Amino acid sequence: MKRIFFVDDSGPPFGHMLLAFGGYLGGFDGNFLWNRIGAEYSMNVPVWSLRLLPALTGALCVPLAYQILVELHFSHCAAFGAALLILFENSLITQSRLMLLESVLIFFILLAILSYLKFYNLQKCSPFTAGWWFWLLLTGVACSCAVGVKYMGLFTYMLLLAIAGVHSWHLIGDQTLSNVSVLCHLLARGIALVVIPVAMYLSFFYVHLTLLYRSGPHDQIMTSAFQASLEGGLARITQGQPLEVAYGSQITLRNVLGKPVPCWLHSHKNTYPIRYENGRGSSHQQQVTCYPFKDVNNWWIVKDPGMQQLVVSNPPRPVRHGHIVQLVHGITTRYLNTHDVAAPLSPHSQEISCYIDYNISMPAQNLWRVEIVNRESDTDVWKTILSEVRFVHVNTSAVLKLSGASLPEWGYRQLEIIGEKLSKGYHQSMLWNVEEHRYGKSQEQKEREVELHSPTQADISKNLSFMARFTELQWKILTLKNEDTEHKYSSSPLDWITMDTNIAYWFHPISGAQIHLIGNVLTWASANVATLVYVCLFLWYLLRRRRKICDIPEDAWRLWVSAGGLCVGGWAVNYLPFFMMEKTLFLYHYLPALTFQILLIPVVLQHLTDHLCRSQLPKNAFSALMVAWFSSVYLVYRTFSPLTYGEPTLSAAELRALRWKDSWDILIRKH
């Protein structure tokens, strides 16, 4: 709402933009600190409009579930049962009533499934009609929206692509279609299911980056070029500085990696200890480190080895890819140097220092070759912010690199810089970019220290393309790790199936009313049983069909396989990947998988009714059991509704009665 740039490791920006759009419609000005869960909202926060979208999408999941079962060619009774189970699922209701994105994600997942089923059913009778195109295109749009809300949507998108791939393979083998017709079918699917989702996904980031043009606290994890593209912050520092690095330029060098913290090439008057704690000796030269704060000791001067002057000539002589330079520390005027001495913490690499002449047999080795990694040609000029460069030592071929290790007390806990001898490729720890830059004008040391920025104008921000910013931001989102590796309500995927965990969302300090993420216990147990029954029956049918024994008609078998492939496949792809994730996980991560399991329950029930209950009496008994079971599902929903809606307030005894599992953390006030 304040147009301030931020990086959120929870996923892409589309879901946040949808919530912000609701706040915008409600007149929200962004002036609220979202720093404490359960904090009371101020009057300027339009809670209703912020919660409108999750509530609306959560409600629409009910008719979507109904339509999906209908499109799978199940009875309206089965479809109605699926809708009721979604309607009476406490966990889905809880997520829909708050400013959370799971209901939005599940809505787009179900919309994508329904759209593809409608498209596939139209494929048989009326391909390339307006309705056929509408549902095919809507499938791609819904998939991109699901991925744009949370990366969990990628699991269902991959499932749909796999299903579409199988159907396309069958289409290729259809001899009734001409080659041109088959090609048109494949192109239509490729455009709708691949090209359009990718384009929409990029558009989410384009709008996101267009809206968030102001500098903020998350800037420091981005590269200098990205920071300079934002209004304020680094842009205020870099505005007006020269674009091309020349001999005599005064620069600061920022390591591109940005890990463990963003830092700049740095030196100070202190020297390496003569001997380290492990007994190894050093060169006793001036220390060179990587310092995570802006400091006057971060400034270096680019010097031509063939000349003595430390100022920029007129006209300036730009440094190009492959040129040999010397880097002179601005404050101490000592040269960046390396030699065959082991680094303090990385003994297999060379020590980096600023050379001090002790009149011993260790001559200066201070020549460095500039290699512009992201160059377009071998004659490219070294540019401020935009160029990513390696510094290769001429004498030893060692590359200037950030090791990431923190030096001991004698190095002020700053980060170690080393000369990497055997460097293959271009790891980001070896890459540097010029962040601050001015043309040196004074040869005198005292005057040089107080030089101001040159007034030369160069709009650097416009040189960073959208794709460059998108690529960087996407990489940061995927690789940014939250420091809070454990949480009170975090859980493992094994806890989700049996719902051995819960999450307390809200607690009233006076009345004790509370809201928890707790599901309908009976529905969760039934979903697990339905999955087990389906897998067992599927394997049984498959083995008997291998022996040429068909227990059910061919149409029923195809329906059983297609419905199970969708529901069990949807559950598996949305659940099993979490076992391989290292991020902090919560119960709500299971909700998309649970939704597919819930859709499977009426599928299994109808199959049992149609094919295993042969006579009328078992069918009547089974129908009576289903009525009793649905009544029990509703009863469990009503039992836990005080924890779903936060009202009515329950006594301590009533809260204890709702603690059906010892692992549940239900908050009970002590008087």
Side-chain angles (χ1 to χ4, degrees), residues 563-579:
L566 185 65
C567 297
V568 176
W571 169 79
V573 299
N574 282 283
Y575 173 59
L576 298 180
F578 287 104
F579 284 95

Side-chain angles (χ1 to χ4, degrees), residues 398-415:
V399 179
L400 190 69
K401 179 182 178 181
L402 168 68
S403 75
S406 295
L407 295 170
E409 289 295 335
W410 53 258
Y412 304 102
R413 301 293 178 185
Q414 296 173 18
L415 301 180

Side-chain angles (χ1 to χ4, degrees), residues 516-578:
H516 287 254
L517 180 64
I518 292 182
N520 189 308
V521 179
L522 184 56
T523 301
W524 287 52
S526 302
N528 294 330
V529 171
T531 305
L532 184 62
V533 169
Y534 177 87
V535 172
C536 291
L537 280 177
F538 175 80
L539 293 175
W540 173 255
Y541 290 151
L542 194 63
L543 289 172
R544 287 175 61 82
R545 286 174 71 87
R546 189 65 177 167
R547 301 294 298 170
K548 306 300 181 183
I549 303 172
C550 296
D551 298 291
I552 56 177
E554 192 63 28
D555 289 345
W557 167 251
R558 284 199 295 265
L559 181 62
W560 183 244
V561 171
S562 61
L566 185 65
C567 297
V568 176
W571 169 79
V573 299
N574 282 283
Y575 173 59
L576 298 180
F578 287 104

Side-chain angles (χ1 to χ4, degrees), residues 482-500:
N482 198 324
E483 294 181 359
D484 298 325
T485 54
E486 290 192 12
H487 189 279
K488 180 181 179 180
Y489 293 108
S490 63
S491 54
S492 72
L494 288 175
D495 298 327
W496 302 342
I497 298 182
T498 53
M499 202 169 61
D500 287 335

